[in-house]
Amino acid sequence: MSTTSQPDPVRLEIFKNLFQFNAEQMGIVLQNTAASVNIKERLDFSCAIFDASGLLVANAPHIPVHLGSMSESVRSLINDKGDTIKAGNVYLSNNPYNGGTHLPDVTAITPVFDTNEKQIIFYVASRGHQSDIGGITPGSMPPHSTTVEEEGILFDNFLLVEQGNFREIETKQLLLNHIYPARNPNQNIADFKAQIAANERGVIELNKMVLQYGLETVKAYMKFVQDNAEEAVRKAIDVLKDGAFIYEMDNHAKIQVKVTINRINRSAVIDFTGTSWQLNSNFNAPKAVTQAAVLYVFRTLVDDNIPLNAGCLKPLEIIIPEGCMLNPIYPAAVVAGNVETSQTIVDALYGALGVMAASQGTMNNFTFGNEKYQYYETICGGSGAGINFDGTDGVHTHMTNSRLTDPEILETRYPVQIESFCLRADSGGKGEYSGGNGVIRRIKFLEPMTANILSNHRLIHPFGLNGGEGGKVGRNWIKRRNGTEEYLDSTATVEMQTGDVFVIETPGGGGFGKS
């Protein structure tokens, strides 16, 4: 197959699907070989392939907040290690200040060399949310951390595999040699090995493509796929209008965004000037997370089947003042920025563009555990209504795309019981098009454990648009074994005793248009 300066439309479609297929195959291997419930059952992971410069080419439809930020991790590795990277090496990174999102999301990066093992031609990477990576609370999602050190172990382009040899002793030492060490290092090691296996599948599939089509053709179509995504985003921008939005969170922090459309260049400026400065809490979102949220929003505006990739960013200029909560300075805590603030960014952008009311705007991060057990889940809620569509009941929205653990698996692996799980009637905002309803989840504890909730929209309603009503706020509360009830803030740590029930009522989505 000869390489040309212009893509053949049929071949472009073939390569788009081949690249995405490779990432999907990586995800299947990761799910099948992982040890933790978090990766194996909740599917809290993402896989993607990158070109030689570390730019995202294609991904499987996994977790948006992972996928839009992973390129920053790969490029950090290239800048940091450069010519020292050798065939057979695998690197591990979760540094929020080097392309990471928060510490539980650990990325394994594998370079793909040519047949002579002289030149790196691609990269593959997989990011998995570890059930525990240390920190001040089991599950590594502490509601009240104030520095990144309190959130767990930091890997910064750590050499996990050296020329084919897994460095288990060194990895375990890093997991344990910390003021707040990992609670289950053997499970961490098992999941890291699963990520290595997933990456190896990606390497194999890319090498098959090179063998079949030739290296120059594969590289050319990597660029064509990105160019195609760029043009698709420019077409979406063509029909947008300037807009601005300010959205406050429960902690009184605010996201301020202004979108300015340039008709001549078919581009957009997304300016977060005016957003709250860096917080003393953990709701700071690393710059890579903010970029991922912008990338996600503009990808969803594209009415075409394109893989999320670096081309989507080319028409976008993103302005994020350094030192604000969307571009914090080390060692700011960030664990909630990835899961909560990212949702607020997305809704603020949709509000500025006038296309969709707010979703539940939170992942309702629930963790519990002790030295023996560690568990993490995100809980669905209502999605926002938009032009010509209602919101959806009980769904994970926007920057999360994970699922809940099956009750049978959860109750087998952990000393808890799902007492009930149902839709929360009338929690979606009314309007010409109504927002989706949230859910009510009640978990009974069969052993004493520490439980944590990290959430938003317990005070501020998810907004409606064009006269639509806002969604109902969520609630977190405990029903003690003796019948007493304790109501909790948006973020809380609580000691659960045998027979206590933790109740999470998630928010509804906002309505669109007057009813």
Side-chain angles (χ1 to χ4, degrees), residues 313-330:
L313 276 176
K314 286 186 179 179
L316 308 176
E317 179 188 352
I318 307 172
I319 299 171
I320 319 169
E322 186 176 16
C324 81
M325 65 179 289
L326 304 184
N327 187 8
I329 299 167
Y330 177 88

Side-chain angles (χ1 to χ4, degrees), residues 279-499:
L279 306 170
N280 291 325
S281 71
N282 55 26
F283 279 76
N284 303 293
K287 186 178 180 181
V289 168
T290 305
Q291 178 177 295
V294 174
L295 182 59
Y296 164 81
V297 167
F298 279 84
R299 168 60 187 88
T300 61
L301 299 175
V302 172
D303 188 20
D304 192 9
N305 182 25
I306 61 167
L308 182 82
N309 64 40
C312 298
L313 276 176
K314 286 186 179 179
L316 308 176
E317 179 188 352
I318 307 172
I319 299 171
I320 319 169
E322 186 176 16
C324 81
M325 65 179 289
L326 304 184
N327 187 8
I329 299 167
Y330 177 88
V334 297
V335 73
N338 174 57
V339 289
E340 295 299 295
T341 306
S342 65
Q343 300 282 61
T344 307
I345 298 167
V346 168
D347 281 330
L349 275 167
Y350 283 132
L353 295 170
V355 297
M356 189 188 304
S359 74
Q360 67 160 339
T362 175
M363 297 190 196
N364 306 293
N365 305 272
F366 183 53
T367 52
F368 61 77
N370 51 30
E371 291 305 312
K372 183 177 180 181
Y373 303 101
Q374 302 89 37
Y375 177 71
Y376 166 64
E377 68 180 21
T378 57
I379 304 171
C380 51
S383 71
I387 303 171
N388 299 325
F389 63 88
D390 291 320
T392 305
D393 298 339
V395 66
H396 279 85
T397 54
H398 301 324
M399 300 308 285
T400 180
N401 190 30
S402 59
R403 70 180 189 186
L404 278 167
T405 306
D406 291 339
E408 296 83 0
I409 300 291
L410 182 60
E411 293 175 359
T412 300
R413 295 281 293 266
Y414 299 95
V416 297
Q417 183 179 19
I418 305 297
E419 193 173 79
S420 65
F421 183 42
C422 63
L423 290 176
R424 188 182 178 208
D426 298 319
S427 55
K430 304 303 180 188
E432 181 181 2
Y433 298 96
S434 296
N437 289 317
V439 301
I440 303 173
R441 189 162 173 85
R442 300 171 64 98
I443 297 181
K444 179 186 283 188
F445 283 75
L446 306 181
E447 285 185 19
M449 273 189 274
T450 302
N452 308 279
I453 184 70
L454 209 166
S455 62
N456 192 35
H457 289 299
R458 270 49 182 175
L459 299 174
I460 303 292
H461 292 261
F463 64 82
L465 271 184
N466 286 17
E469 294 179 3
K472 188 176 287 187
V473 295
R475 292 201 309 165
N476 310 318
W477 55 286
I478 308 293
K479 184 175 182 180
R480 294 294 184 185
R481 184 178 179 180
N482 63 8
T484 60
E485 297 179 357
E486 299 175 16
Y487 288 85
L488 307 174
D489 291 335
S490 305
T491 59
T493 297
V494 63
E495 296 301 322
M496 303 297 291
Q497 303 302 320
T498 302

Side-chain angles (χ1 to χ4, degrees), residues 5-149:
S5 59
Q6 294 295 323
D8 175 82
V10 175
R11 288 177 180 170
L12 180 64
E13 199 64 28
I14 289 170
F15 275 94
K16 276 198 300 185
N17 285 282
L18 274 174
F19 292 139
Q20 187 162 318
F21 169 81
N22 289 359
E24 289 171 352
Q25 290 298 303
M26 292 170 65
I28 291 168
V29 171
L30 181 51
Q31 181 185 1
N32 288 344
T33 55
S36 67
V37 167
N38 211 48
I39 293 177
K40 197 173 197 69
E41 304 295 336
R42 288 192 53 251
L43 309 185
D44 198 343
F45 65 82
S46 297
C47 300
I49 62 174
F50 306 82
D51 64 19
S53 61
L55 294 175
L56 178 64
V57 174
N59 57 272
H62 292 149
I63 311 293
V65 76
H66 292 175
L67 296 164
S69 55
M70 280 170 74
S71 179
E72 296 297 318
S73 295
V74 177
R75 285 187 282 175
S76 164
L77 172 66
I78 294 170
N79 293 334
D80 187 23
K81 301 300 180 183
D83 297 334
T84 67
I85 299 174
K86 296 179 181 178
N89 285 7
V90 181
Y91 298 86
L92 210 59
S93 182
N94 66 350
N95 186 346
Y97 298 93
N98 253 346
T101 48
H102 59 181
L103 297 187
D105 286 341
V106 183
T107 307
I109 305 168
T110 303
V112 184
F113 280 78
D114 60 14
T115 52
N116 298 320
E117 295 190 352
K118 297 292 185 185
Q119 182 183 3
I120 297 172
I121 50 178
F122 316 117
Y123 288 87
V124 295
S126 55
R127 178 171 286 177
H129 186 116
Q130 299 290 312
S131 297
D132 186 277
I133 200 72
I136 56 177
T137 59
S140 306
M141 295 288 292
H144 302 125
S145 54
T146 56
T147 66
V148 72
E149 185 180 55

Side-chain angles (χ1 to χ4, degrees), residues 169-226:
I169 294 174
E170 294 85 349
T171 306
K172 194 168 284 188
Q173 284 176 345
L174 190 54
L175 288 165
L176 295 174
N177 187 23
H178 190 272
I179 188 170
Y180 308 112
R183 294 166 180 83
N184 191 349
N186 290 332
Q187 182 169 271
N188 296 132
I189 294 289
D191 282 347
F192 294 161
K193 288 180 176 178
Q195 289 178 257
I196 294 167
N199 286 5
E200 186 58 29
R201 181 58 180 266
V203 173
I204 290 169
E205 294 297 335
L206 283 170
N207 283 333
K208 283 182 184 177
M209 289 181 68
V210 170
L211 188 63
Q212 181 171 356
Y213 298 105
L215 176 59
E216 293 310 311
T217 297
V218 174
K219 289 168 70 174
Y221 273 87
M222 279 190 168
K223 182 180 182 302
F224 293 150
V225 165
Q226 293 178 40

